[in-house]
Amino acid sequence: MRLVTFSSGKGAETGFGRVGIHVGTAGAGQVLDVREAARALNLKPNGGQNCEAVFADMLAVIREEDQSLPLLRQIEAKRGALPASAVFEEAQIRLHSPIPRPLSMRDGYAFRQHVAAARKNRGVDMIPEFDLFPIYYFTNHLAVTGPGELPVRKLFLEKLDFELEVAVVIGKPGRNLRADQADDHVFGYMIMNDWSARWLQMEEMKLNLGPAKGKDFATTLGPYLVTRDELAPRRKNSPQGERFDASMKCWVNGKEVSTGNLRDMTWTFAQILERASYGVTLQPGEVIGSGTVGTGCFLELNGSKVTDNQWLKVGDEVVMEVEGLGRLVNTIALEKVDGPEPSTVSGKWRG
């Protein structure tokens, strides 16, 4: 299934919107309002809960997947019997991030091609530790956005970049997972764009604490949260966990700039989850990104001379497409704020 969080301007909306099921053609289908559909079909969860609680938001759907997924499948199967009040054309609604406020958000570094190219462009050798264990960093789970306009402040436009990625969503709690069991704790997958302000990122990383303000202003997820079973036809099992044959592409202003494949992850999601869960309990609703696919950002493309010092600017349209996960479209805008901007003079952050 393709799950969404949406708003329509009709009916009661909580938080960032309502949970829906996307059906039909990706980008031009329909969205079924699951709470309205459950009422119309008189569906009742097992275990004493009610549909209002199970479908309160996407985090509730994920936490209660043993209750929610069977009900969602019934709604999808009976969509022809739903009243008009439970069915929306995709063009008539606003799609948010499928999980507007994840429980937490980590981002990995799993594609060797991206790491090797980025280091080569900086004139340094491939770091041998890359092959020892998968790494990740925590980013801002409170700055998640969905499809549509992306307002950014002026300093973020100093070498603003995209990063083409896929993210997993944890569905079941897990601690000290092994790679051969970790995939069973995945609820689903989304496209992830890890927006990066490279000037800020490079300045702050000189202090050896990793990316902070260069990354924490926005991460875009969506447009759909695709359940794990939906990708089964693309799945290839391995001792290191599941891999998926899914092409990954990005266009900027209609020109294709990036192409790769999810199967090329050097470290699988299962291996990343094994590392992340060592001595830590992963919880439903946590999001973990793959890291950038090879060719998946201007930092790499500029350094490899594929592009010529190209960075994103106001008005640019960024389109990401991953087979099986849909098409994520964003347009860069300048955020309007009161008060002065910090200065970039001498590389200093000043009011």
Side-chain angles (χ1 to χ4, degrees):
M1 280 181 292
R2 297 191 296 266
L3 303 179
V4 299
T5 295
F6 75 102
S7 56
S8 66
K10 298 180 181 179
E13 311 247 339
T14 60
F16 285 84
R18 291 172 279 170
V19 177
I21 304 171
H22 184 275
V23 296
T25 303
Q30 296 177 319
V31 170
L32 313 179
D33 183 332
V34 297
R35 282 188 292 178
E36 185 69 22
R39 283 193 291 266
L41 297 173
N42 197 30
L43 299 180
K44 304 292 183 184
N46 296 322
Q49 293 227 52
N50 60 66
C51 283
E52 293 294 323
V54 171
F55 296 143
D57 56 26
M58 195 66 75
L59 287 177
V61 169
I62 294 165
R63 284 194 305 266
E64 304 294 336
E65 67 172 292
D66 290 341
Q67 299 288 327
S68 64
L69 287 179
L71 295 171
L72 291 169
R73 292 188 181 104
Q74 289 185 61
I75 292 170
E76 187 176 30
K78 297 178 180 179
R79 63 180 182 267
L82 295 179
S85 60
V87 181
F88 296 87
E89 297 299 323
E90 184 174 352
Q92 298 174 337
I93 61 173
R94 178 187 174 190
L95 291 178
H96 303 276
S97 164
I99 308 179
R101 289 294 178 263
L103 203 61
S104 78
M105 182 174 292
R106 298 171 177 86
D107 196 15
Y109 206 38
F111 289 90
R112 169 179 272 276
Q113 179 183 345
H114 169 68
V115 178
R119 292 184 66 82
K120 180 180 179 181
N121 294 341
R122 298 201 305 270
V124 295
D125 294 333
M126 182 61 181
I127 189 168
E129 285 79 4
F130 178 86
D131 297 309
L132 299 181
F133 50 84
I135 64 167
Y136 59 85
Y137 71 97
F138 280 91
T139 190
N140 190 355
H141 66 292
L142 301 178
V144 168
T145 70
E149 188 176 83
L150 180 77
V152 296
R153 290 198 67 174
K154 184 178 178 181
L155 286 189
F156 297 134
L157 290 166
E158 304 241 2
K159 300 185 177 180
L160 180 63
D161 206 354
F162 67 92
E163 288 194 352
L164 174 58
E165 308 188 20
V166 169
V168 295
V169 180
I170 302 301
K172 295 183 175 68
R175 185 181 181 92
N176 299 325
L177 299 175
R178 302 190 314 268
D180 62 0
Q181 65 181 182
D183 287 308
D184 292 334
H185 292 258
V186 172
F187 180 88
Y189 303 82
M190 302 175 288
I191 301 174
M192 174 171 167
N193 188 342
D194 178 27
W195 303 100
S196 302
R198 298 300 188 189
W199 181 84
L200 288 171
Q201 179 189 356
M202 296 310 168
E203 288 294 302
E204 65 194 6
M205 288 186 71
K206 295 173 184 176
L207 297 171
N208 295 323
L209 279 181
K213 186 49 58 185
K215 292 277 192 176
D216 77 347
F217 60 98
T219 303
T220 299
L221 302 173
Y224 316 123
L225 169 55
V226 178
T227 53
R228 183 180 170 218
D229 60 300
E230 186 86 2
L231 289 186
R234 301 183 181 280
R235 181 187 305 154
K236 184 174 183 179
N237 296 320
S238 77
Q240 294 78 38
E242 296 173 353
R243 296 182 182 276
F244 298 92
D245 183 5
S247 70
M248 303 172 64
K249 295 181 181 295
C250 181
W251 293 262
V252 174
N253 298 329
K255 181 179 180 181
E256 184 178 311
V257 294
S258 301
T259 182
N261 197 294
L262 191 57
R263 67 181 174 223
D264 295 330
M265 290 176 70
T266 303
W267 295 103
T268 64
F269 279 119
Q271 290 171 308
I272 297 172
L273 297 187
E274 181 181 68
R275 174 80 173 182
S277 68
Y278 177 76
V280 173
T281 302
L282 301 181
Q283 299 289 348
E286 295 196 73
V287 171
I288 302 179
S290 63
T292 310
V293 69
T295 77
C297 65
F298 278 138
L299 180 69
E300 180 183 336
L301 295 168
N302 288 335
S304 301
K305 308 304 180 186
V306 177
T307 51
D308 183 14
N309 197 34
Q310 184 173 354
W311 304 103
L312 297 173
K313 60 185 184 299
V314 171
D316 282 353
E317 181 188 67
V318 180
V319 178
M320 293 184 169
E321 186 175 86
V322 178
E323 284 186 305
L325 300 185
R327 191 176 177 92
L328 178 61
V329 183
N330 292 103
T331 303
I332 308 300
L334 181 64
E335 181 180 345
K336 294 179 175 61
V337 295
D338 295 327
E341 280 281 347
S343 172
T344 62
V345 175
S346 302
K348 294 185 184 297
W349 178 275
R350 295 190 305 166

